[in-house]
Amino acid sequence: MSEITAEQVAHLANLARIDLSPEEITRLTAELGQIVDSVAKVAEVATPDVPATSHPMPLTNVFRADVVVPSLSVEEALSGSTDRDGDKFRVPAILDEE
């Protein structure tokens, strides 16, 4: 069992400006103790010969290859537009900028 005490939990709650009831302090003391014990168990097996990992399963790139393919022409892209400015869409201004 860890060495987390109710007094330490109450002190931390006071520093964080959190008002805890005595029941909450008791519950959090037990929960924090379990967390500290779990971290201690991990620290026991985390030896220099165990590589650090960020994911339990290896990640692979799931994106498709970036290949250039035929696309819409400017006229095709702007054909459904209600307003245009040359080869650009014209939209209402939303900021006080010109």
Side-chain angles (χ1 to χ4, degrees):
M1 189 69 182
S2 73
E3 300 174 12
I4 300 292
T5 65
E7 292 77 25
Q8 289 173 320
V9 173
H11 178 68
L12 288 172
N14 183 47
L15 291 175
R17 307 286 194 264
I18 300 172
D19 187 25
L20 296 177
S21 69
E23 295 81 21
E24 290 172 318
I25 291 174
T26 302
R27 181 177 50 84
L28 288 172
T29 300
E31 289 177 6
L32 288 172
Q34 289 176 344
I35 292 169
V36 170
D37 290 342
S38 297
V39 170
K41 285 181 187 176
V42 171
E44 288 174 10
V45 297
T47 59
D49 59 325
V50 176
T53 59
S54 62
H55 293 84
M57 305 286 290
L59 298 178
T60 57
N61 188 353
V62 295
F63 298 111
R64 65 174 170 77
D66 191 11
V67 179
V68 177
V69 295
S71 184
L72 295 176
S73 68
V74 172
E75 288 304 317
E76 291 170 324
L78 293 173
S79 66
S81 174
T82 58
D83 196 8
R84 63 186 280 183
D85 180 11
D87 61 352
K88 300 174 186 73
F89 291 98
R90 182 185 298 265
V91 296
I94 59 169
L95 302 174
D96 290 334
E97 297 177 3
E98 292 289 323

